[in-house]
């Protein structure tokens, strides 16, 4: 794992991806088309030929690339709402232009160890009236007898907004609303419905997710491409908005989420190992609110615990160590009394940043409420 850790704090996505890819490849090229068992092929090749990390889990599907999994239990099955990664031929850069996804496929599992079903195209960019490009990490919710698919996309002015589409089935197809959610911006929506029925959307992502360009409350097209470059100031905050009962709108203002250290001090912009980057998720365990997220350029899934869904949250530690590939993204759900982490990595594509595969593994809450850190590779 030294090679993965060596990329920490690398300011350029391309550089770090090249290092990971070099570590993994050296004669190793996995194809999405390969017909042999992925488990056998991946493990035996990595293990015997290169002494490279052996994954703890295998892709849920191998006929397409999938990423950013948001998992939910609907109608007695596990539904997974992922990004659908494609080789679009767009050069890699720090703004994430190479993530040029154009549709969503929804996956389902009858049981956690079952075979995944791909339900086909659920929504396409051409059917979203306001969208210009880049369908990034989605989420879903159920309410009012309907299913809701929430998704980020750049609008026709190249500004990320968050849209919503509805369906009578968890597998879609989904019909998009004519306009993005009013007041929405940036990426990675995660909708959490609390035990009292109140619903919240967590969202935001820096760098390609453009959150750093909203610091004045308005979009600054000439704003920074990465951080705010203020390492000694509180880091950029993820956002939360209460949702209306129809789950189609924000009900009230967008608020900033405060993540503090155990001394009560806000995490700073220069604290790349702990500060928020993208990929929000919320789960509730033993009455406490667990806000989890990716640290982006340091590649961790980290978590912080709070007493309210609106925060503040106190940083606790790492849920998932870095994966092969640049991005780290996840969701956490409970199935039949056990907890699971859905995540992705780029092993199947030979380390390509923009060609990822969704996976699942068990997650443990310790008796003190902390979460056991997961290493996605056996060595
Ligand atoms: O898939 C595109 C972007 O990569 C997501 O929106 C981020 O969370 C990262 O996984």
């Amino acid at each position: 794992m030294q090679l993965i850790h060596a990329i920490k704090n690398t300011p350029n996505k391309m550089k770090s991806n090249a290092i990971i890819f070099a570590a993994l490849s050296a004669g190793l090229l996995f194809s999405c088309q390969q017909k042999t068992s992925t488990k056998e092929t991946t493990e035996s090749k990595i293990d015997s030929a290169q002494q490279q990390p052996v994954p703890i889990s295998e892709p849920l599907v191998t006929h397409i690339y999938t990423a950013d999994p948001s998992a939910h239990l609907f109608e007695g099955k596990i539904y997974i709402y992922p990004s659908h990664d494609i080789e679009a031929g767009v050069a890699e850069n720090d703004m994430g232009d190479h993530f040029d996804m154009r549709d969503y496929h929804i996956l389902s599992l009858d049981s956690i160890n079952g075979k995944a079903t791909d339900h086909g195209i659920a929504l396409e960019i051409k059917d979203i009236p306001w969208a210009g490009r880049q369908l990034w990490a989605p989420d879903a919710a159920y309410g009012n007898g309907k299913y809701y698919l929430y998704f980020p996309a750049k609008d026709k002015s190249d500004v990320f907004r968050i849209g919503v589409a509805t369906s009578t089935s968890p597998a879609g197809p989904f019909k998009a609303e004519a306009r993005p959610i009013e007041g929405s911006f940036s990426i990675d929506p995660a909708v959490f419905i609390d035990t009292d029925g109140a619903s919240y959307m967590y969202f935001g992502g820096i760098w390609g997710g453009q959150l750093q360009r909203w610091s004045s409350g308005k979009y600054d097209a000439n704003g920074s491409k990465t951080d705010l470059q203020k390492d000694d100031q509180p880091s950029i905050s993820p956002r939360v908005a209460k949702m209306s009962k129809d789950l189609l709108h924000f009900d009230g203002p967008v608020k900033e989420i405060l993540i503090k250290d155990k001394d009560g001090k806000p995490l700073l912009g220069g604290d790349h190992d702990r500060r928020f980057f993208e990929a929000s998720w919320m789960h509730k365990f033993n009455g406490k609110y667990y806000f989890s997220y990716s640290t982006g350029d340091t590649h961790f899934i980290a978590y912080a615990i709070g007493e309210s869904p609106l925060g503040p949250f106190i940083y606790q530690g790492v849920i998932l160590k870095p994966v092969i590939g640049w991005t780290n993204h996840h969701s956490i759900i409970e199935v039949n009394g056990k907890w699971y982490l859905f995540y992705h990595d780029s092993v199947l594509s030979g380390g390509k940043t923009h060609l990822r595969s969704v996976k699942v593994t068990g997650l443990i809450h310790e008796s003190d409420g902390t979460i056991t850190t997961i290493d996605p590779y056996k060595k």
Side-chain angles (χ1 to χ4, degrees), residues 68 83 99 101 136-137 187-188 278-279 327 329 344 356:
D68 309 324
S83 301
F99 295 110
M101 296 84 105
W136 282 15
I187 59 165
D188 291 1
E278 63 187 4
T327 65
H329 195 117
H344 67 221
R356 301 158 292 178

Side-chain angles (χ1 to χ4, degrees), residues 67-141:
D68 309 324
S70 291
H72 292 273
L73 260 187
F74 291 141
E75 301 181 0
K77 289 188 186 183
I78 303 155
Y79 280 88
I80 300 127
Y81 298 83
S83 301
H84 175 201
D85 283 356
I86 54 166
E87 183 54 86
V90 179
E92 188 164 333
N93 59 34
D94 285 344
M95 292 303 280
D97 286 337
H98 47 301
F99 295 110
D100 195 18
M101 296 84 105
R102 295 165 192 179
D103 62 27
Y104 293 112
H105 283 231
I106 293 160
L107 311 177
S108 70
L109 297 169
D110 288 341
S111 64
I112 205 78
N113 296 313
K115 190 173 169 334
T117 300
D118 173 0
H119 294 272
I121 295 174
L123 181 66
E124 286 186 83
I125 200 152
K126 70 174 177 50
D127 296 325
I128 304 167
W130 58 270
R133 66 182 177 127
Q134 295 184 294
L135 291 181
W136 282 15
D139 191 21

Side-chain angles (χ1 to χ4, degrees), residues 144-193:
N144 311 308
K146 279 187 267 190
Y147 293 91
Y148 297 81
L149 180 70
Y150 299 96
F151 57 90
K154 281 184 180 154
D155 66 15
K156 310 244 189 254
S157 309
D158 236 23
V159 178
F160 265 117
R161 305 281 177 184
I162 296 169
V164 56
T166 55
S167 175
T168 53
S169 162
F174 283 85
K175 182 165 172 34
E177 295 291 296
R179 279 181 281 280
I181 294 173
E182 198 178 332
S184 71
F185 52 90
S186 196
I187 59 165
D188 291 1
V191 170
F192 167 71
I193 304 189

Side-chain angles (χ1 to χ4, degrees), residues 29-321:
L29 275 177
F30 301 114
S31 155
C32 201
Q33 276 82 43
Q34 70 188 33
K35 296 285 186 289
T36 50
S37 153
T38 311
K39 183 173 173 51
E40 217 175 75
T41 309
T42 306
E43 285 193 357
S44 55
K45 283 195 180 172
I46 289 179
D47 193 20
S48 60
Q50 302 295 329
Q51 289 297 301
Q52 290 296 335
V54 175
I56 56 166
S57 305
E58 297 308 316
L60 294 189
V61 294
T62 57
H63 65 293
I64 56 172
Y65 290 110
T66 55
D68 309 324
S70 291
H72 292 273
L73 260 187
F74 291 141
E75 301 181 0
K77 289 188 186 183
I78 303 155
Y79 280 88
I80 300 127
Y81 298 83
S83 301
H84 175 201
D85 283 356
I86 54 166
E87 183 54 86
V90 179
E92 188 164 333
N93 59 34
D94 285 344
M95 292 303 280
D97 286 337
H98 47 301
F99 295 110
D100 195 18
M101 296 84 105
R102 295 165 192 179
D103 62 27
Y104 293 112
H105 283 231
I106 293 160
L107 311 177
S108 70
L109 297 169
D110 288 341
S111 64
I112 205 78
N113 296 313
K115 190 173 169 334
T117 300
D118 173 0
H119 294 272
I121 295 174
L123 181 66
E124 286 186 83
I125 200 152
K126 70 174 177 50
D127 296 325
I128 304 167
W130 58 270
R133 66 182 177 127
Q134 295 184 294
L135 291 181
W136 282 15
D139 191 21
Y142 174 76
N144 311 308
K146 279 187 267 190
Y147 293 91
Y148 297 81
L149 180 70
Y150 299 96
F151 57 90
K154 281 184 180 154
D155 66 15
K156 310 244 189 254
S157 309
D158 236 23
V159 178
F160 265 117
R161 305 281 177 184
I162 296 169
V164 56
T166 55
S167 175
T168 53
S169 162
F174 283 85
K175 182 165 172 34
E177 295 291 296
R179 279 181 281 280
I181 294 173
E182 198 178 332
S184 71
F185 52 90
S186 196
I187 59 165
D188 291 1
V191 170
F192 167 71
I193 304 189
D194 204 349
T195 35
D196 64 1
S199 51
Y200 305 86
M201 180 186 287
Y202 301 86
F203 63 94
I206 61 173
W207 294 31
Q210 302 177 337
L211 188 57
Q212 71 280 2
R213 293 183 166 179
W214 287 91
S215 53
S216 72
K218 288 199 173 139
Y219 184 70
D220 174 6
N222 299 314
S224 170
K225 286 191 171 170
T226 56
D227 295 272
L228 284 178
Q229 316 298 329
K230 292 179 182 164
D231 284 0
D232 56 349
Q233 300 294 313
S235 59
I236 299 169
S237 298
R239 303 297 205 268
V240 62
K242 206 157 183 295
M243 299 293 292
S244 57
K245 289 219 161 32
D246 66 9
L247 291 172
L248 294 172
H249 305 97
F250 289 164
D251 183 14
V254 171
K255 295 185 174 160
E256 298 197 8
I257 294 173
L258 181 58
I259 306 174
K260 302 193 283 190
D261 65 18
K262 287 184 179 158
D263 297 326
K265 297 193 185 110
L267 299 185
L268 300 181
D271 189 351
H272 292 224
D273 275 353
R274 300 194 296 175
R275 63 96 170 87
F276 172 82
F277 188 104
E278 63 187 4
S280 298
W281 189 257
M282 171 60 65
H283 76 279
K284 196 173 182 180
F285 179 76
N286 276 351
K288 305 245 191 252
Y289 296 87
Y290 286 64
F291 178 71
S292 45
Y293 55 95
S294 168
T295 63
D297 56 340
T298 50
H299 316 283
F300 297 113
I301 297 295
Y303 74 109
I305 298 179
E307 302 293 331
S308 149
L310 299 173
F313 298 96
I314 311 290
Y315 178 88
Q316 303 292 321
V318 169
I319 294 178
L320 181 65
K321 291 183 180 177

